[in-house]
Amino acid sequence: MSQNNSPKIAPVDEKMSFKSSWVFSLQHVLAMAAGAVAVPMMVGNAAGLDQTSIVFLINACLFMAGIGTLIQSVGIGNIIGARIPVIEGTSFAAVAGMTAIATSYNDPNIAIQNVFGAVIVAGLFCIVLAPVFEKLIRFFPSVVTGTVVMVIGISLFPIGIKWITLNKIEAVDPKTFALSMAVLVITLLSFKLLKGIWNSSAIIVGIVLGTLLSMAVGMADFSSVAGAGWVSINTPFKFGLPQFDISAILSLCLIMLVLMTESVGNMIAIHEMVDKEVTGKNIKRALFGDGISTALSGIFNSFPITPFGQNTGIVGLTGIKSRYVAVYASLMLLVFGFVPKFAAIIAAIPKPVLGGVAFAMFGMVMVGGVRTLSKVQFVGTMNGVIVAVSVGLSIIPIVNPDFYNNFPAWVQTIFHSGITTGSLAAVILNIFFNEIGNKKKAKEEAQ
């Protein structure tokens, strides 16, 4: 009688064939692509690039999103990459800093060269600091990680709401709102009625059917697709060799600290969703991956690469834990990065359609934080205060984006993000209430 002594494969490492997972992979790609397209459009316009160059930037960002996702999902040896189903892309949090750099120059090429120079150094900065973040993992117990993940979800909601109002802060058009709510209803019905693979693919069903609905009612414009080319090759230093301005580098390195904090939060969230232990080494590998991807982005005409929060929500929605879904998504992104027509199609998907599915995507990130907090001991502790104050502080820049405008630039950079504000507050308050004066506990956790 033979006995199978082969080790049990963790859910995150279970292999999936492309045939069985392509829908899930495409769902991830469609969910993140709007964000990946928006960043190069904003930075390219700020630099004064022409439309052809901006389309090239979009493809470059999709390509580097594929590289970053591949590094994180597959890993390089036992040193680089988190090996979880994380989807990477160009970060919104760095847009303000990069547009400030770009608008400092009259020549579009020089402007974008200085942006890419700062991106390369920021990536190297992330690599150097990754071991430091590894040592800080002991300051991220469940009360902190749960709070951080919940704050990430809350902070993402304004993005979805702005999609409904076409990225403007104004009263919503009733027709636009009706389209978004119709997409949300389609998505919810998909979760309720569809079975098997299509149930887990409710987000992509909502996006596709919502886009078709928007076309039927005349709320979509795909005219730009016809003028887009079929093939674009991402050559290094397309706009010339990078330039290294000290002030640009310092500003982007400071922003990189914010991106690293947000990245740690997303990484922790996904680790917990896929039942993979959160360790300092895993976080260090993840940040190494982000740093390398970001440094390469400056070479291959793209911008800082970090995990996308909306895809963190999709992991929670689908319940699919295998990192091979991210592997196949990365291959799709690499292919799409060579096809300008795909970038044009993604850019043309009506924002209200994405706003409709955002409630489910972003809400599931918040629910992930709630799940983690359900394991925390609140009775007889100050953990409730930690959560309450951290979430409250994180909402300040969400409610009033100009709240910190009278402070120095470095303060604005750090606290402009509700995620960073809430994360720092949770860590500091946990140290104050649970570490200081409890040397025995601190010693046990350090061992």
Side-chain angles (χ1 to χ4, degrees):
M1 183 177 177
S2 61
Q3 186 176 0
N4 186 358
N5 293 321
S6 59
K8 183 179 179 181
I9 299 176
V12 72
D13 294 320
E14 288 181 354
K15 292 188 176 181
M16 300 179 67
S17 68
F18 181 76
K19 181 179 179 181
S20 63
S21 63
W22 71 269
V23 174
F24 304 127
S25 303
L26 183 60
Q27 181 170 246
H28 272 295
V29 171
L30 291 180
M32 63 78 64
V37 165
V39 173
M41 288 178 68
M42 288 186 282
V43 178
N45 283 317
L49 297 177
D50 58 43
Q51 189 60 31
T52 301
S53 296
I54 291 175
V55 171
F56 177 86
L57 281 183
I58 291 172
N59 281 105
C61 287
L62 291 174
F63 175 80
M64 282 311 304
I67 294 294
T69 302
L70 193 64
I71 289 174
Q72 292 289 12
S73 56
V74 174
I76 301 175
N78 202 30
I79 301 173
I80 300 167
R83 294 184 178 177
I84 55 176
V86 60
I87 307 295
E88 302 261 305
T90 46
S91 173
F92 270 108
V95 168
M98 292 188 294
T99 54
I101 296 170
T103 53
S104 300
Y105 304 90
N106 293 324
D107 185 304
N109 270 10
I110 293 177
I112 206 69
Q113 288 165 10
N114 275 278
V115 171
F116 290 147
V119 170
I120 291 171
V121 177
L124 298 176
F125 179 70
C126 178
I127 294 171
V128 171
L129 282 190
V132 177
F133 272 72
E134 176 190 11
K135 304 299 182 184
L136 298 178
I137 196 65
R138 66 175 289 260
F139 296 112
F140 285 82
S142 293
V143 66
V144 173
T145 59
T147 302
V148 170
V149 174
M150 187 164 64
V151 164
I152 290 173
I154 294 172
S155 298
L156 287 171
F157 277 122
I159 296 174
I161 294 170
K162 288 177 184 176
W163 279 341
I164 299 175
T165 56
L166 306 177
N167 291 329
K168 299 174 183 177
I169 305 297
E170 62 182 19
V172 67
D173 184 327
K175 292 182 180 179
T176 303
F177 181 68
L179 174 61
S180 295
M181 291 302 99
V183 174
L184 177 59
V185 170
I186 290 170
T187 305
L188 295 176
L189 287 174
S190 299
F191 279 119
K192 175 71 174 178
L193 302 176
L194 297 181
K195 305 297 181 184
I197 186 174
W198 294 108
N199 178 271
S200 299
S201 306
I203 297 298
I204 194 173
V205 173
I207 292 174
V208 172
L209 294 184
T211 301
L212 292 175
L213 176 61
S214 68
M215 294 170 68
V217 298
M219 297 178 66
D221 180 11
F222 285 87
S223 58
S224 61
V225 177
W230 283 103
V231 179
S232 174
I233 305 299
N234 187 2
T235 54
F237 307 124
K238 171 75 172 179
F239 299 91
L241 292 177
Q243 298 193 28
F244 301 94
D245 178 80
I246 294 299
S247 61
I249 289 170
L250 290 176
S251 66
L252 211 55
C253 283
L254 182 58
I255 291 171
M256 199 68 208
L257 284 172
V258 176
L259 299 184
M260 292 173 73
T261 303
E262 294 185 7
S263 179
V264 168
N266 277 294
M267 293 294 179
I268 288 172
I270 296 176
H271 272 78
E272 294 186 346
M273 287 176 180
V274 301
D275 301 322
K276 183 172 183 177
E277 183 183 6
V278 181
T279 65
K281 288 184 178 179
N282 287 340
I283 296 302
K284 180 176 71 173
R285 292 170 189 149
L287 292 176
F288 274 153
D290 283 351
I292 290 172
S293 299
T294 296
L296 287 175
S297 285
I299 297 172
F300 285 94
N301 317 291
S302 184
F303 309 111
I305 302 291
T306 60
F308 264 32
Q310 52 263 52
N311 296 92
T312 302
I314 288 179
V315 173
L317 274 172
T318 63
I320 296 173
K321 302 177 180 181
S322 173
R323 59 191 171 98
Y324 287 93
V325 170
V327 173
Y328 296 133
S330 71
L331 298 179
M332 288 183 181
L333 286 166
L334 289 173
V335 172
F336 293 148
F338 291 103
V339 184
K341 278 196 181 295
F342 175 79
I345 291 171
I346 293 300
I349 294 177
K351 294 297 183 291
V353 171
L354 298 171
V357 298
F359 290 102
M361 286 194 303
F362 300 158
M364 284 306 296
V365 179
M366 185 180 67
V367 170
V370 173
R371 282 201 197 103
T372 300
L373 289 174
S374 68
K375 308 170 187 175
V376 174
Q377 175 66 37
F378 286 101
V379 178
T381 71
M382 290 294 104
N383 288 331
V385 176
I386 295 172
V387 176
V389 174
S390 300
V391 172
L393 291 174
S394 74
I395 293 176
I396 291 176
I398 296 175
V399 175
N400 184 358
D402 299 329
F403 190 86
Y404 297 105
N405 281 5
N406 290 330
F407 288 81
W410 66 269
V411 175
Q412 296 180 45
T413 299
I414 294 175
F415 294 104
H416 180 73
S417 166
I419 297 173
T420 309
T421 305
S423 299
L424 289 175
V427 170
I428 293 170
L429 289 173
N430 177 66
I431 292 173
F432 177 73
F433 284 115
N434 295 331
E435 296 283 340
I436 295 176
N438 197 348
K439 294 182 179 180
K440 181 180 179 181
K441 178 184 175 182
K443 183 178 180 181
E444 289 175 351
E445 292 181 350
Q447 290 177 345

